[in-house]
Amino acid sequence: MTDPVGKIPSELDQLPDRDTEETAEWAASLDAVTKAAGPHRAAYLMRRTLQHAEGAGLALPKLLETDYVNTIPTAAEPSIGESGGDEEMERKITAWNRWNAAAMVSRGAKHGVGGHIATFASAAWLYETGFNHFFRGKEADGSGDQLYIQGHASPGIYARAFLDGRLTEAHLDNFRQESGGEGLPSYPHPRRLPWLWEFPTVSMGLGPLSAIYQARFNRYLTNRGIKDVSSSHVWAFLGDGEMDEPESTAALALAAREGLDNLTFVINCNLQRLDGPVRANFKIVQELEAQFRGAGWNVVKSLWGNAWDELFQLDTTGALVRRLREVPDAQVQTYQTRDAAYIRQDFFGKDPALVEMAKLLSDDKILECFHLSRGGHEPRKVYAAYKAALEFKGAPTVVLAQTVKGFTLGEGFASKNANHQMKKLSVDEFKNMRDLLELPISDAQFVDGVVPYGHPGADSPEVRYLQERRAALGGPAPARRTQPLAPLPAPADKAFAAFDKGSGSQSVATTMAFVRLVKDLVRDKETGKRWVPIVPDEARTFGMESLFPSLGIYSPKGQTYEPVDRDQLMYYKEAVNGQILNEGITEAGSMADFIAASSSYATHGEAMIPFYIFYSMFGWQRTADQMWQLGDQLGRGFLVGATAGRTTLTGEGLQHADGHSPMIAATNPAALTYDPAFAYEVAAIVKEGLRRMYGEAAPGEDRDVFYYLTVYNEPMPQPAKPAGVDEGIVKGLYRFNTAESAGLSLPANAPRVQLLGSGTAIHWTLRAQKLLAEEWGVGADVWSATSWTELRRDALEADAALLRGEERVPYVRKALEGIDSPVLAVSDYMRQVPDQIAQWVEQDYSSLGADGFGLSDTREAARRHFGVDAQSIVVAALAQLARRGEVRATAVKEARERYGL
């Protein structure tokens, strides 16, 4: 038998109650109200009391949900006119934008290129109110606000740019037709339309995640004294369906924890995703409210339009509010498409008090409320929500705006489950839309059934108003501008040359070599402050703890505690102006940091040099979509895959064994992928990357790239840098030594093989070179293949040049020119990685790699398992030579037996 209500054990039972009689009186009062006025009145009084307590500054847990009503009452709404706005003029502008967005997509339908109409139709006022009153352009301080536009709403942004004179009809007619050079990308895409779009957002979930870290990076820039961007505000426009993506809500707690009141999420709650309702049997607004409130965000709900005010005034019993909370979203969508009689029966007929209320309402009033009147469709309510968001301090704000998907597009679109896939309206539907929007477009303008674009004229009151509002807010938006930045001065050669002499007898991992290089570079007087070290809570794994006390870990609160290791040299130091971004266990958050820093040269006119160091297995495999986002956003910087390779991380096993990251990276056109073997190669690649991305770029050279370097945790002796290898390091291949230069004795006319190794594999290759000479009388030249991918990229460009009639030889072919011996390529990755160059190697080509799944064991055992150790290389080389008749056929079997293979 359970305890009665009120007797259930409570966490309060363990706290002393200094006046039990007073506590009992409060409980009795609540019981009396419940009995006399009903539970709903009692709940109302409790909530009023809690609100009063919160306003008085009492520390109480907040309610996670509020009623299904607007946060800001109509009587408390500010007027658009207070900021110089003209609501009627904005209505006309929004009407033109609605029309042209729909016309652009419909006209493109004849080409079969697709497009989306319904999303912008629901969100038009969410954007227009922002553009006219809130979104700051870049002309004032070079930064302005950062706008993450919902991908499927892009036609509406193009329509506004057309009205503003930034786009022409020809541009609109080339929507989703880019190959001719004058087209518009389907979604926000900086690489395709770099003067307009700043942030690619249609890979849903990445926009909200990136917006949070962009707002955080803005604080980082300000706190570090790089640039004061405290007036910049980040606006992320999202769909309610998009919030199902885990990345959409992954960093909500971070935003609240760091008090990012420079961030506002605007979630367009049209209650529909791509195939149907977002929460058919539930209420997505209430779910999101609880989620954001629980994470510590300020929540502003704008659900109902002014037409509902009369109904709420009639709701003296609370029955209307109760009914709104219980009706599931899918039923709300149904009301949108049904007549007044159905709504009277299904909505109002469930409660006697609502039946009486409905008797006071005309059919037209009911249809106005349920078909048209939504908070997201009324500019005054949107304005009030945005103003409240900007004025709220201490936490980020989410605006939950309820809309109708397909609003103003007619009965065939509004709230239909299939409207996301509907690409055009008929001529009659357009004419109905024209009449609804009161646009001066005549029937005669529909020539041969083609819907016309609409424009009131470059000198019309609408266009003048639009441009005046944008001028007052700092210029056009959205806009991406790359200010003419002076190249960053190159760091002193001393930092790079430190690795030229090698490490002598000391064994050094390339991971440590990279960290040492960075330690020297961040000390550079000119560019040191621009480095942004990013690490996902593995700094000690990568040997970066030495950077903690010198650079500090960024924290907006500084260090409010005494670190446990304060008496140690490399203690854990947090600081408001800290340089390191140590993100905790989140590769996705770290990548979002990297993206914000890597594009700061455009967003804020401040070039930053981010490097993000991570377990290579948990980079491209886990967050490759963000690497594409990085390339789309034209980001620059260094991604560093540490503890790289399939066999170098002893004992960790399958989940930590990276045998494929260079292959995944090779699919990204913006990624320059390198697998350096030696410390001096790491230095040479970083030096070249700094020149290309931040220094004096060569004519025609693409600066909008990023580098992916693999570095290893296996300590090895680092050799001295041979003369004249810099070009080969950068291009991807150079001869490290020959058997003769390695001091190996060979018989006259000894058979010869070319061994190409990358990364840590070159060390096994060098051991194989010695075994081949000493035990089999075979000479081997060892080549360092620093980048299979760059060799392939160069070869592809050479092939394309030949098709244009230009004479060009791939670099890999020139490097191996004149060699009449087989080539064996070896990698600690799957064979597909070295096989990228196979078709351009004229010699007999073969490869070894670590294909399959990883496993836990020692390095030596793992390499034997995958057949990439020195002895396996020897056997493979002998097999190639035996096929050519250059060694006896039995040598292969003898070698296998000798080495136990």
Side-chain angles (χ1 to χ4, degrees), residues 201-535:
T201 55
V202 86
S203 186
M204 287 187 281
L206 299 190
L209 178 68
S210 292
I212 289 173
Y213 281 89
Q214 181 66 56
R216 183 172 185 263
F217 187 73
N218 290 356
R219 291 279 173 85
Y220 173 88
L221 283 181
T222 301
N223 288 340
R224 286 199 54 222
I226 303 293
K227 181 180 181 181
D228 184 356
V229 295
S230 54
S231 58
S232 289
H233 199 85
V234 178
W235 300 82
F237 288 83
L238 316 168
D240 47 1
E242 180 177 6
M243 302 312 292
D244 285 347
E245 288 283 5
E247 296 88 350
S248 294
T249 55
L252 298 187
L254 168 83
R257 185 169 65 244
E258 299 206 358
L260 297 181
D261 50 24
N262 59 338
L263 170 68
T264 297
F265 276 15
V266 180
I267 302 181
N268 178 16
C269 298
N270 57 34
L271 313 186
Q272 288 183 248
R273 51 189 177 200
L274 309 189
D275 288 330
V278 179
R279 293 289 183 274
N281 296 296
F282 305 93
K283 301 191 79 64
I284 185 59
V285 169
Q286 300 300 89
E287 180 181 317
L288 291 175
E289 178 183 27
Q291 193 169 12
F292 278 86
R293 282 188 186 278
W297 286 52
N298 176 46
V299 178
V300 177
K301 294 196 290 191
S302 184
L303 307 181
W304 306 112
N306 286 335
W308 283 83
D309 288 350
E310 179 182 341
L311 276 66
F312 289 128
Q313 289 299 313
L314 295 172
D315 186 29
T316 58
T317 66
L320 176 63
V321 171
R322 292 197 301 274
R323 182 68 179 135
L324 288 174
R325 288 196 69 181
E326 71 187 22
V327 175
D329 284 351
Q331 191 63 20
V332 173
Q333 298 295 84
T334 298
Y335 295 148
Q336 175 68 33
T337 63
R338 303 300 289 269
D339 60 19
Y342 177 88
I343 298 171
R344 284 182 187 278
Q345 178 181 351
D346 192 86
F347 181 83
F348 292 97
K350 304 295 185 182
D351 187 294
L354 293 181
V355 171
E356 295 303 312
M357 180 188 294
K359 292 177 181 178
L360 304 175
L361 305 174
S362 67
D363 284 356
D364 286 345
K365 182 67 176 179
I366 289 175
L367 292 179
E368 180 187 13
C369 287
F370 284 85
H371 285 192
L372 303 175
S373 189
R374 298 290 188 276
H377 296 321
E378 297 191 9
R380 183 167 173 172
K381 296 198 177 294
V382 176
Y383 179 87
Y386 288 2
K387 190 171 186 290
L390 288 183
E391 291 176 350
F392 189 88
K393 300 304 176 184
T397 294
V398 59
V399 174
L400 302 175
Q402 184 165 262
T403 66
V404 174
K405 193 167 185 177
F407 190 66
T408 74
L409 298 181
E411 294 181 358
F413 264 84
S415 290
K416 299 295 185 182
N417 281 340
N419 60 19
H420 187 78
Q421 305 301 329
M422 297 163 70
K423 312 301 181 187
K424 60 182 178 179
L425 283 74
S426 67
V427 169
D428 286 341
E429 287 173 323
F430 264 111
K431 289 179 179 178
N432 290 335
M433 181 181 177
R434 170 202 61 190
D435 295 341
L436 176 66
L437 298 177
E438 301 178 351
L439 291 171
I441 297 173
S442 67
D443 288 354
Q445 290 176 262
F446 290 81
V447 179
D448 297 327
V450 177
V451 59
Y453 293 120
H455 200 293
D459 196 40
S460 64
E462 293 95 325
V463 173
R464 287 201 307 272
Y465 178 88
L466 181 155
Q467 293 176 341
E468 287 168 1
R469 297 303 303 169
R470 288 310 318 154
L473 287 166
R480 180 181 183 275
R481 295 187 177 180
T482 51
Q483 289 85 2
L485 299 177
L488 294 182
D493 276 339
K494 181 180 178 181
F496 305 104
F499 301 93
D500 290 355
K501 294 181 180 180
S503 64
S505 60
Q506 182 183 5
S507 292
V508 178
T510 52
T511 298
M512 295 310 300
F514 176 80
V515 172
R516 177 185 165 186
L517 175 62
V518 169
K519 284 181 67 175
D520 290 340
L521 292 175
V522 295
R523 294 192 186 106
D524 185 82
K525 292 182 179 179
E526 296 290 336
T527 60
K529 68 179 182 179
R530 297 190 177 275
W531 283 87
V532 184
I534 303 168
V535 62

